[in-house]
Amino acid sequence: MQDALIFDPLAAAPATEAHAGAQAGASPLEALDAKGRREFNKLQKRLRRQVGNAIVDYGMIHEGDRIMVCLSGGKDSYTLLEILRNLQRNAPVSFSLVAVNLDQKQPGFPEHVLPEYLESIGVEYYILERDTYSVVKEKTPEGKTTCALCSRLRRGSLYGFAEEIGATKVALGHHREDILETLFLNMFYGGSLKAMPPKLLSDDGKNIVIRPLAYCREADIAEFARLMDFPIIPCNLCGSQPNLQRQVVKEMLAEWERKHPGRIESMFKAVSNVAPSQLADRELFDFEGLEAKQARRRERRIDALDVSHDS
């Protein structure tokens, strides 16, 4: 059995500098004063601790793992790659990282940005070219959102490529709010109580998917990405679509958090504190067998009373 990766999340590690490909002039990180630098160090340690805890809690990484980090060019995946690189320096087991970007052939996609960045930080990478953009535009009816089909095509391409390069785990950049948004989307629109698990086995059984940012706040990730000056690439396929269901849910959760600070934290705890007997899923709990369970308990009580009486 492989040894699980156990991090000491509080272990000292040098603050990571802004990427080498930053444009001329001071980056946001370099422009920080002493107080700002201390706050950045706290932020980086918090993210490292939360990622380390998620990895330990769910057994995400083991000795010899080759982790394929899916890099979209957004703040979340950049942060995921950077924090994993940071933890890798102090990990008690050996694992490798390979970044993979899926070039979906969106018009105007800056193809040079990711290769230049990844070469500047010395990370092994692949650019996987698949024209999913044309398929999504062709198959999606006018006025409908593209996210569902785009996501399925993207996952299929990336999961298949993971096998080709010998990746043992596929790491995605979903964070705490992504998980909660998915929970409410499934409740409101799908009639199911499910979210994004921190670790899962793909439907075909070929890939183990991990989400090391599961404990991380989106606001922390956004601030870290800003200070690191990551070369963010916006998604032009769906970013401008109005009334996206996920955006509506995101705004709902943000409003709840503004009015009731701590509610997001409480809701996230609920995802990992499930009581099947208090829900209504007959597959998860044996409601039909409650009478038999009651009878067994009564028998045990009677037996205990009889023993007590005999003595």
Side-chain angles (χ1 to χ4, degrees), residues 145-166:
T145 58
T146 59
C147 291
L149 177 57
C150 179
S151 179
R152 286 198 300 273
L153 293 173
R154 190 168 61 245
R155 282 199 305 269
S157 297
L158 289 169
Y159 288 3
F161 190 65
E163 280 193 281
E164 291 183 31
I165 63 173

PDB file of all heavy atoms in Angstrom, residues 145-166:
ATOM      1  N   THR A 145     -26.917  28.473 -22.447  1.00  0.00           N
ATOM      2  CA  THR A 145     -25.554  28.574 -21.948  1.00  0.00           C
ATOM      3  C   THR A 145     -24.712  27.402 -22.432  1.00  0.00           C
ATOM      4  O   THR A 145     -25.226  26.309 -22.680  1.00  0.00           O
ATOM      5  CB  THR A 145     -25.539  28.612 -20.409  1.00  0.00           C
ATOM      6  OG1 THR A 145     -26.174  27.433 -19.912  1.00  0.00           O
ATOM      7  CG2 THR A 145     -26.274  29.836 -19.888  1.00  0.00           C
ATOM      8  N   THR A 146     -23.433  27.643 -22.553  1.00  0.00           N
ATOM      9  CA  THR A 146     -22.522  26.659 -23.137  1.00  0.00           C
ATOM     10  C   THR A 146     -21.775  25.836 -22.093  1.00  0.00           C
ATOM     11  O   THR A 146     -21.076  24.884 -22.435  1.00  0.00           O
ATOM     12  CB  THR A 146     -21.482  27.371 -24.021  1.00  0.00           C
ATOM     13  OG1 THR A 146     -20.746  28.303 -23.217  1.00  0.00           O
ATOM     14  CG2 THR A 146     -22.161  28.119 -25.164  1.00  0.00           C
ATOM     15  N   CYS A 147     -21.909  26.186 -20.819  1.00  0.00           N
ATOM     16  CA  CYS A 147     -21.035  25.621 -19.791  1.00  0.00           C
ATOM     17  C   CYS A 147     -21.110  24.098 -19.686  1.00  0.00           C
ATOM     18  O   CYS A 147     -20.082  23.430 -19.565  1.00  0.00           O
ATOM     19  CB  CYS A 147     -21.359  26.235 -18.433  1.00  0.00           C
ATOM     20  SG  CYS A 147     -20.894  27.976 -18.313  1.00  0.00           S
ATOM     21  N   ALA A 148     -22.320  23.533 -19.698  1.00  0.00           N
ATOM     22  CA  ALA A 148     -22.471  22.095 -19.465  1.00  0.00           C
ATOM     23  C   ALA A 148     -21.756  21.281 -20.533  1.00  0.00           C
ATOM     24  O   ALA A 148     -20.961  20.381 -20.230  1.00  0.00           O
ATOM     25  CB  ALA A 148     -23.948  21.724 -19.408  1.00  0.00           C
ATOM     26  N   LEU A 149     -22.011  21.588 -21.810  1.00  0.00           N
ATOM     27  CA  LEU A 149     -21.379  20.840 -22.893  1.00  0.00           C
ATOM     28  C   LEU A 149     -19.884  21.093 -22.930  1.00  0.00           C
ATOM     29  O   LEU A 149     -19.080  20.157 -23.098  1.00  0.00           O
ATOM     30  CB  LEU A 149     -22.011  21.230 -24.235  1.00  0.00           C
ATOM     31  CG  LEU A 149     -21.405  20.570 -25.475  1.00  0.00           C
ATOM     32  CD1 LEU A 149     -21.467  19.055 -25.372  1.00  0.00           C
ATOM     33  CD2 LEU A 149     -22.111  21.057 -26.742  1.00  0.00           C
ATOM     34  N   CYS A 150     -19.492  22.352 -22.735  1.00  0.00           N
ATOM     35  CA  CYS A 150     -18.067  22.696 -22.746  1.00  0.00           C
ATOM     36  C   CYS A 150     -17.332  21.910 -21.665  1.00  0.00           C
ATOM     37  O   CYS A 150     -16.248  21.367 -21.894  1.00  0.00           O
ATOM     38  CB  CYS A 150     -17.901  24.194 -22.528  1.00  0.00           C
ATOM     39  SG  CYS A 150     -16.180  24.751 -22.482  1.00  0.00           S
ATOM     40  N   SER A 151     -17.939  21.834 -20.476  1.00  0.00           N
ATOM     41  CA  SER A 151     -17.309  21.124 -19.359  1.00  0.00           C
ATOM     42  C   SER A 151     -17.149  19.643 -19.658  1.00  0.00           C
ATOM     43  O   SER A 151     -16.103  19.054 -19.375  1.00  0.00           O
ATOM     44  CB  SER A 151     -18.148  21.327 -18.096  1.00  0.00           C
ATOM     45  OG  SER A 151     -17.586  20.639 -17.010  1.00  0.00           O
ATOM     46  N   ARG A 152     -18.184  19.020 -20.244  1.00  0.00           N
ATOM     47  CA  ARG A 152     -18.102  17.582 -20.565  1.00  0.00           C
ATOM     48  C   ARG A 152     -17.012  17.307 -21.586  1.00  0.00           C
ATOM     49  O   ARG A 152     -16.240  16.351 -21.446  1.00  0.00           O
ATOM     50  CB  ARG A 152     -19.454  17.088 -21.087  1.00  0.00           C
ATOM     51  CG  ARG A 152     -20.518  16.938 -20.022  1.00  0.00           C
ATOM     52  CD  ARG A 152     -21.651  16.055 -20.493  1.00  0.00           C
ATOM     53  NE  ARG A 152     -22.309  16.583 -21.679  1.00  0.00           N
ATOM     54  CZ  ARG A 152     -23.315  17.450 -21.656  1.00  0.00           C
ATOM     55  NH1 ARG A 152     -23.775  17.899 -20.494  1.00  0.00           N
ATOM     56  NH2 ARG A 152     -23.872  17.876 -22.769  1.00  0.00           N
ATOM     57  N   LEU A 153     -16.952  18.133 -22.624  1.00  0.00           N
ATOM     58  CA  LEU A 153     -15.925  17.934 -23.648  1.00  0.00           C
ATOM     59  C   LEU A 153     -14.532  18.161 -23.088  1.00  0.00           C
ATOM     60  O   LEU A 153     -13.585  17.422 -23.415  1.00  0.00           O
ATOM     61  CB  LEU A 153     -16.178  18.889 -24.825  1.00  0.00           C
ATOM     62  CG  LEU A 153     -17.440  18.634 -25.647  1.00  0.00           C
ATOM     63  CD1 LEU A 153     -17.649  19.755 -26.662  1.00  0.00           C
ATOM     64  CD2 LEU A 153     -17.369  17.286 -26.351  1.00  0.00           C
ATOM     65  N   ARG A 154     -14.409  19.144 -22.235  1.00  0.00           N
ATOM     66  CA  ARG A 154     -13.107  19.447 -21.642  1.00  0.00           C
ATOM     67  C   ARG A 154     -12.643  18.298 -20.758  1.00  0.00           C
ATOM     68  O   ARG A 154     -11.483  17.874 -20.817  1.00  0.00           O
ATOM     69  CB  ARG A 154     -13.210  20.750 -20.857  1.00  0.00           C
ATOM     70  CG  ARG A 154     -11.875  21.303 -20.387  1.00  0.00           C
ATOM     71  CD  ARG A 154     -12.008  22.730 -19.882  1.00  0.00           C
ATOM     72  NE  ARG A 154     -12.908  22.820 -18.747  1.00  0.00           N
ATOM     73  CZ  ARG A 154     -14.070  23.471 -18.775  1.00  0.00           C
ATOM     74  NH1 ARG A 154     -14.483  24.069 -19.885  1.00  0.00           N
ATOM     75  NH2 ARG A 154     -14.829  23.541 -17.687  1.00  0.00           N
ATOM     76  N   ARG A 155     -13.557  17.801 -19.915  1.00  0.00           N
ATOM     77  CA  ARG A 155     -13.194  16.686 -19.032  1.00  0.00           C
ATOM     78  C   ARG A 155     -12.791  15.458 -19.834  1.00  0.00           C
ATOM     79  O   ARG A 155     -11.799  14.791 -19.526  1.00  0.00           O
ATOM     80  CB  ARG A 155     -14.372  16.331 -18.116  1.00  0.00           C
ATOM     81  CG  ARG A 155     -14.558  17.256 -16.944  1.00  0.00           C
ATOM     82  CD  ARG A 155     -15.418  16.593 -15.867  1.00  0.00           C
ATOM     83  NE  ARG A 155     -16.693  16.128 -16.398  1.00  0.00           N
ATOM     84  CZ  ARG A 155     -17.802  16.847 -16.419  1.00  0.00           C
ATOM     85  NH1 ARG A 155     -17.802  18.082 -15.958  1.00  0.00           N
ATOM     86  NH2 ARG A 155     -18.920  16.343 -16.898  1.00  0.00           N
ATOM     87  N   GLY A 156     -13.564  15.151 -20.873  1.00  0.00           N
ATOM     88  CA  GLY A 156     -13.255  13.979 -21.681  1.00  0.00           C
ATOM     89  C   GLY A 156     -11.877  14.060 -22.307  1.00  0.00           C
ATOM     90  O   GLY A 156     -11.117  13.083 -22.306  1.00  0.00           O
ATOM     91  N   SER A 157     -11.536  15.222 -22.831  1.00  0.00           N
ATOM     92  CA  SER A 157     -10.229  15.408 -23.470  1.00  0.00           C
ATOM     93  C   SER A 157      -9.098  15.295 -22.449  1.00  0.00           C
ATOM     94  O   SER A 157      -8.089  14.614 -22.676  1.00  0.00           O
ATOM     95  CB  SER A 157     -10.167  16.773 -24.160  1.00  0.00           C
ATOM     96  OG  SER A 157     -11.127  16.867 -25.199  1.00  0.00           O
ATOM     97  N   LEU A 158      -9.264  15.952 -21.305  1.00  0.00           N
ATOM     98  CA  LEU A 158      -8.202  15.965 -20.296  1.00  0.00           C
ATOM     99  C   LEU A 158      -8.027  14.603 -19.634  1.00  0.00           C
ATOM    100  O   LEU A 158      -6.901  14.152 -19.416  1.00  0.00           O
ATOM    101  CB  LEU A 158      -8.506  17.027 -19.242  1.00  0.00           C
ATOM    102  CG  LEU A 158      -8.354  18.474 -19.718  1.00  0.00           C
ATOM    103  CD1 LEU A 158      -8.925  19.447 -18.697  1.00  0.00           C
ATOM    104  CD2 LEU A 158      -6.900  18.809 -20.011  1.00  0.00           C
ATOM    105  N   TYR A 159      -9.129  13.921 -19.330  1.00  0.00           N
ATOM    106  CA  TYR A 159      -9.029  12.624 -18.674  1.00  0.00           C
ATOM    107  C   TYR A 159      -8.337  11.614 -19.591  1.00  0.00           C
ATOM    108  O   TYR A 159      -7.515  10.815 -19.147  1.00  0.00           O
ATOM    109  CB  TYR A 159     -10.410  12.100 -18.300  1.00  0.00           C
ATOM    110  CG  TYR A 159     -11.082  12.828 -17.150  1.00  0.00           C
ATOM    111  CD1 TYR A 159     -10.489  13.934 -16.554  1.00  0.00           C
ATOM    112  CD2 TYR A 159     -12.311  12.414 -16.670  1.00  0.00           C
ATOM    113  CE1 TYR A 159     -11.103  14.612 -15.519  1.00  0.00           C
ATOM    114  CE2 TYR A 159     -12.943  13.084 -15.617  1.00  0.00           C
ATOM    115  CZ  TYR A 159     -12.340  14.179 -15.054  1.00  0.00           C
ATOM    116  OH  TYR A 159     -12.953  14.834 -14.021  1.00  0.00           O
ATOM    117  N   GLY A 160      -8.669  11.658 -20.870  1.00  0.00           N
ATOM    118  CA  GLY A 160      -8.022  10.749 -21.810  1.00  0.00           C
ATOM    119  C   GLY A 160      -6.541  11.034 -21.947  1.00  0.00           C
ATOM    120  O   GLY A 160      -5.725  10.113 -22.026  1.00  0.00           O
ATOM    121  N   PHE A 161      -6.180  12.320 -21.930  1.00  0.00           N
ATOM    122  CA  PHE A 161      -4.776  12.689 -22.075  1.00  0.00           C
ATOM    123  C   PHE A 161      -3.978  12.306 -20.837  1.00  0.00           C
ATOM    124  O   PHE A 161      -2.787  11.993 -20.935  1.00  0.00           O
ATOM    125  CB  PHE A 161      -4.658  14.192 -22.337  1.00  0.00           C
ATOM    126  CG  PHE A 161      -3.285  14.631 -22.737  1.00  0.00           C
ATOM    127  CD1 PHE A 161      -2.723  14.206 -23.934  1.00  0.00           C
ATOM    128  CD2 PHE A 161      -2.531  15.461 -21.927  1.00  0.00           C
ATOM    129  CE1 PHE A 161      -1.446  14.601 -24.317  1.00  0.00           C
ATOM    130  CE2 PHE A 161      -1.265  15.873 -22.291  1.00  0.00           C
ATOM    131  CZ  PHE A 161      -0.722  15.442 -23.492  1.00  0.00           C
ATOM    132  N   ALA A 162      -4.612  12.312 -19.676  1.00  0.00           N
ATOM    133  CA  ALA A 162      -3.916  11.918 -18.445  1.00  0.00           C
ATOM    134  C   ALA A 162      -3.370  10.508 -18.572  1.00  0.00           C
ATOM    135  O   ALA A 162      -2.250  10.215 -18.128  1.00  0.00           O
ATOM    136  CB  ALA A 162      -4.873  12.016 -17.256  1.00  0.00           C
ATOM    137  N   GLU A 163      -4.138   9.626 -19.176  1.00  0.00           N
ATOM    138  CA  GLU A 163      -3.666   8.251 -19.389  1.00  0.00           C
ATOM    139  C   GLU A 163      -2.450   8.233 -20.307  1.00  0.00           C
ATOM    140  O   GLU A 163      -1.492   7.498 -20.079  1.00  0.00           O
ATOM    141  CB  GLU A 163      -4.783   7.415 -20.002  1.00  0.00           C
ATOM    142  CG  GLU A 163      -5.818   6.912 -19.024  1.00  0.00           C
ATOM    143  CD  GLU A 163      -6.689   5.842 -19.658  1.00  0.00           C
ATOM    144  OE1 GLU A 163      -7.609   6.214 -20.413  1.00  0.00           O
ATOM    145  OE2 GLU A 163      -6.428   4.647 -19.424  1.00  0.00           O
ATOM    146  N   GLU A 164      -2.506   9.043 -21.360  1.00  0.00           N
ATOM    147  CA  GLU A 164      -1.422   9.056 -22.343  1.00  0.00           C
ATOM    148  C   GLU A 164      -0.089   9.455 -21.727  1.00  0.00           C
ATOM    149  O   GLU A 164       0.962   8.934 -22.115  1.00  0.00           O
ATOM    150  CB  GLU A 164      -1.765  10.025 -23.483  1.00  0.00           C
ATOM    151  CG  GLU A 164      -2.913   9.565 -24.371  1.00  0.00           C
ATOM    152  CD  GLU A 164      -3.143  10.540 -25.521  1.00  0.00           C
ATOM    153  OE1 GLU A 164      -2.145  11.170 -25.967  1.00  0.00           O
ATOM    154  OE2 GLU A 164      -4.294  10.683 -25.969  1.00  0.00           O
ATOM    155  N   ILE A 165      -0.101  10.375 -20.776  1.00  0.00           N
ATOM    156  CA  ILE A 165       1.159  10.868 -20.205  1.00  0.00           C
ATOM    157  C   ILE A 165       1.496  10.182 -18.882  1.00  0.00           C
ATOM    158  O   ILE A 165       2.439  10.578 -18.199  1.00  0.00           O
ATOM    159  CB  ILE A 165       1.126  12.396 -20.025  1.00  0.00           C
ATOM    160  CG1 ILE A 165       0.040  12.811 -19.031  1.00  0.00           C
ATOM    161  CG2 ILE A 165       0.950  13.093 -21.356  1.00  0.00           C
ATOM    162  CD1 ILE A 165       0.073  14.302 -18.698  1.00  0.00           C
ATOM    163  N   GLY A 166       0.727   9.174 -18.512  1.00  0.00           N
ATOM    164  CA  GLY A 166       1.033   8.411 -17.304  1.00  0.00           C
ATOM    165  C   GLY A 166       0.727   9.115 -16.007  1.00  0.00           C
ATOM    166  O   GLY A 166       1.336   8.821 -14.969  1.00  0.00           O
TER     167      GLY A 166
END
